[in-house]
Each structure stands twice: as C-alpha cells, then as structure tokens.
Amino acid sequence: MNFEAVIGLEVHVQLKTRSKLFCGCSAEFGAAPNTRVCPVCLGYPGVMPVLNEEAVCLTVLTGLMVGARIGETSRFDRKSYFYPDMPKNYQISQYDQPLCVGGSVEIEVGGRPKAIGLTRIHLEEDVGKNMHFHDSSGVDFNRAGVPLMEIVTQPDLASPEEALAFLLTLRQMVRYVGASECNLEQGNLRCDVNVSARPAGRAALGTKIEIKNINTFKGVVNALKHEIARQEEALLAGGVIAQETRRWDPDAGVTAGMRGKEDAHDYRYFPEPDLMPVALSRKRIEALRARLPELPRARRARLSKEYGLPDYDSGVLAADKAVADFFEAAARLSPNPKAVSNWMMTDMLRRLSKQEMDIAAAAITPRALADLIAMVDAGVVNMPTAKEIFGVLFENGGDPNTLTRERGLTQV
Ligand code: ADP
Ligand code: MG
Ligand code: ZN
C-alpha cells in the first residue's frame, strides 16, 4: 500500500520590536539572565499589561502581505497551563478572534508553483527559558513576554521538501516586510510540525502527530522524514496512530513521545480581562497596506524585465531586500546593469557570506561600484586590479578613481 503525508505547520516568529509585548522591557537577545525583566513580565500580582502597538502593526503587515483578512476587532485570551518557564501560569495569546484570518503563501517545488493556505496569524507572548546545570536548574525570564507572531497553515503540505520550501519562502517574505530578522540561531523562528499519513488517494485525514518547537530547517526536514516513515511502518503493520505530542531529538535522529495531546478545553481559554479588544479602522489598515514593499517574486520578475538580467541573477539578487536595493541603486548609476549583477553575485555575496555580514555593514557604496565598472569598461583598469580595488572599497569605502590614482594602478 502507498501512503501520502499530510503536513501542517505552526510557525512562531519573533517580531522585531524594541520592547516586549506588554511591558517596556527590552526585547533584545543575549543579555545576562534576568536583566530584562519587570513586575509585568514576571507575572507579579496586580500588574497591568499594555499592548505594544508596533507588534500589532508588524503582524497586520504580514497578514496583508499574504492576503489574509484583517479582523476589525481582535481580542486577547488567557491560555492557562503550568510550566516553570511561564511566570503567570497563563500565556496571553489569541483564541477565536486573531488579528489575521486566511491568506496563502505560494511555494515552488520542482518548478511547480503551489499555494499553501493559511488558517490564521495571531499574536502572543513568548515564555522564559529553562536552563539545566550540573546539579540544579534555573529559569531565564528575559524572553518572557517577547512578542511572537504565530502563523498556522492549512494541512496543505505534502512532503518534507514542501515544508522546507514553505519555511524558506515565509522567512524571505517576513524579512522583506521587516517584521522579523528570522534569525534561527537566536530562536527568532521556531516551528511546531503536524503530520499524518494516509493511504494514497483517500480523502479523510489520518490522525496527526505534533512535534513541538523545532528551531532549525534541517530539524524540520529530518523530523518529518523520520516521523512519516515511523507512521507508515506502524500503519502497514496494522497499527493505529494515537494522537500525541512528540519531541524531536536531533542527536538521536528520532521523535519520542512527550505527552498525550491536549485539547483546547484543557487550556481553559478565556478573554484576557486586563486588555481591551484591538479595534483597527479600515483607514488604519489601508495606511499599513501602503507600507508594504514589493515582494520577492514580483521583484525578481521586475529585475529581469527592467535591467535585462537572466532569471537566475534576478532570483539571487531579489532573495534579500537589502541586496536588491543595493543592486538597483548601482544599476541606475551604470549603463551596464549586467556587470553590476556579476559583481554583486560573485565578489560582493562571497565576501558577505564569508564574513557573515549584512550588506548594510559593507563600506562600499552603489556609486563606487558603478564607477568601478565604468573604469573597467573604459579600459582604465584591468579586471585583476578592479578586483583588488573592490576589496579595498568593500573594507574601507572610498572612491575607485582616487584609489587607483593613489596606488598608481592605472593601466598603461
Ligand atoms: P490543534 O487544535 O490540535 O492545534 P488545529 O486544527 O489547530 O489542531 O491544527 C494545528 C495544525 O495541524 C495546523 O497547521 C493544521 O494544518 C495541522 N493539521 C490538522 N489536522 C491535520 C492532520 N490530520 N494531519 C496533518 N496536519 C494536520
Ligand atoms: Mg497546536
Ligand atoms: Zn517587563
């Protein structure tokens, strides 16, 4: 018997705000434990949360980007559970009135486009971090109260490859819109993976297993591969899959049972009494829509058309908004956009990735790159010299004409 996999993702993205979701504490990563805390995010009795407006804006922007419906009234709820990293014993989340409903993300696997439906996007607070030492444990609450946007997909993904393509596309879009850095090492993007297997062609869904909190793309792919194989094997042997929550162990390469799955009623959701509903006027939503940037797919097509680039070049350049911005700024100053693209795709991106830095941190300006290309095209410098000058511009900035003269590098 052949089986097919059905996958749905719940992606948690840490929003790029300066402060936490309900208090003024810094949301910055990497501070000494328990130095970014206050009575609100430590859950002291009697404190009052105040909603971070920017977190709402970034979530709505993301929703608009994926074509979601933005609820004019949205509400926060308490999700109750006990765990040591959760100071209040409830998490402020959104239950039945999330900020965004519906929408979709288009992915491409094996050259074929496919739309992955979204159920919802809501806003919630992160929890603290348990730390285990030699003979004791501690909790760092710096992360407690940091804003998370949870993006829930429909069970539309059919393979680990599609799940990976979805995450990569989503990350690119979220970065474009400026909602998050999606920095995996800092835990900015974490994912709960839901997966079931069913006999190929059958309409009814199988029982799903949820694997919690995977924070690498490789982890998502490997956990899915392992879990799909495990379920198929069990079904082939005539067994049944019991609904449960499992944990991915990257070292052992297996998923292991954690607990039986809880239902919504186990969480005793009820409206958060200390926060007003969020009312977004049409005018406000349209003002946010006006902030939306051109998305990667559209930009790729435009780069090809406007600058006559091969599709491959456009795809590489459009993958990162800041890189595409730099390219366009230089290409507008140069009669030779293809040369700009060549420099960007080779020397620029190689240096950036080698030094693990963003293009914003490079000292070279679009003007300097355009001038350098003009000098090569005019035969003032040869290619090896131009490469050398590029290196200086990249590290220290400056102007290629002056540099060439100062160093006596002009071609005779
Ligand atoms: P729960 O209430 O258990 O969290 P939801 O219906 O909210 O379940 O779905 C959570 C996630 O699981 C969604 O991403 C959804 O697409 C996915 N999902 C739901 N049913 C299945 C299934 N049978 N197989 C795989 N994924 C599923
Ligand atoms: Mg769930
Ligand atoms: Zn605080």
Side-chain angles (χ1 to χ4, degrees), residues 10 150 192 194 208 210 212 261:
E10 297 164 274
E150 178 169 340
D192 296 344
N194 299 271
K208 81 171 153 75
E210 178 170 5
K212 282 280 191 201
K261 165 77 186 153

Side-chain angles (χ1 to χ4, degrees), residues 326-337 339-340 343-344 348 364-378 390 393 398-401:
F326 190 106
F327 164 78
E328 286 206 74
R332 276 191 218 106
L333 297 168
S334 171
N336 191 350
V340 178
W343 279 97
M344 298 281 304
M348 183 80 96
I364 186 170
T365 62
R367 159 63 69 191
L369 179 57
D371 288 351
L372 181 63
I373 291 167
M375 290 166 69
V376 175
D377 288 349
F390 181 92
L393 293 170
D399 146 54
N401 281 291

Side-chain angles (χ1 to χ4, degrees), residues 104-260:
S104 66
V105 169
E106 190 169 303
I107 62 169
E108 216 179 282
V109 173
R112 258 173 323 176
K114 176 175 176 181
I116 306 303
L118 301 183
T119 313
R120 55 189 277 153
I121 306 178
H122 69 253
L123 195 50
E124 64 184 30
E125 57 180 339
D126 207 346
V127 296
K129 193 169 186 257
N130 293 336
M131 324 249 278
H132 303 290
F133 309 111
H134 172 59
D135 55 1
S136 65
S137 290
V139 191
D140 176 8
F141 286 113
N142 283 352
R143 213 178 59 190
V146 160
L148 296 180
M149 147 173 94
E150 178 169 340
I151 301 160
V152 184
T153 77
Q154 304 275 13
D156 285 351
L157 298 156
S159 67
E161 293 72 31
E162 287 190 8
L164 177 64
F166 175 83
L167 288 171
L168 291 171
T169 308
L170 183 73
R171 177 171 70 165
Q172 195 184 51
M173 292 172 80
V174 167
R175 280 182 174 165
Y176 249 72
V177 82
S180 174
E181 300 289 355
C182 294
N183 188 328
L184 293 163
E185 296 75 51
Q186 298 188 4
N188 288 177
L189 194 152
R190 309 191 293 268
C191 192
D192 296 344
V193 171
N194 299 271
V195 53
S196 60
R198 65 178 168 191
R202 183 191 291 177
L205 295 178
T207 306
K208 81 171 153 75
I209 296 291
E210 178 170 5
I211 312 162
K212 282 280 191 201
N213 220 8
I214 308 180
N215 59 7
T216 62
F217 291 151
K218 203 168 115 200
V220 170
V221 171
N222 289 342
L224 275 169
K225 281 188 178 154
H226 168 82
E227 184 58 25
I228 292 165
R230 191 188 70 86
Q231 290 186 24
E232 287 179 1
E233 204 173 301
L235 292 171
L236 271 177
V240 284
I241 303 293
Q243 180 158 325
E244 66 174 338
T245 302
R246 297 177 73 86
R247 184 171 60 76
W248 169 241
D249 180 340
D251 299 323
V254 297
T255 62
M258 260 169 90
R259 55 177 190 250

Side-chain angles (χ1 to χ4, degrees), residues 20 22-25 36-42 144:
K20 292 187 180 180
F22 299 116
C23 63
C25 289
R36 299 290 182 266
V37 291
C38 75
V40 175
C41 53
L42 286 177

Side-chain angles (χ1 to χ4, degrees), residues 64 97 160 168 182 387 392:
L64 290 170
Q97 287 177 257
L168 291 171
C182 294
K387 296 241 173 208
V392 179

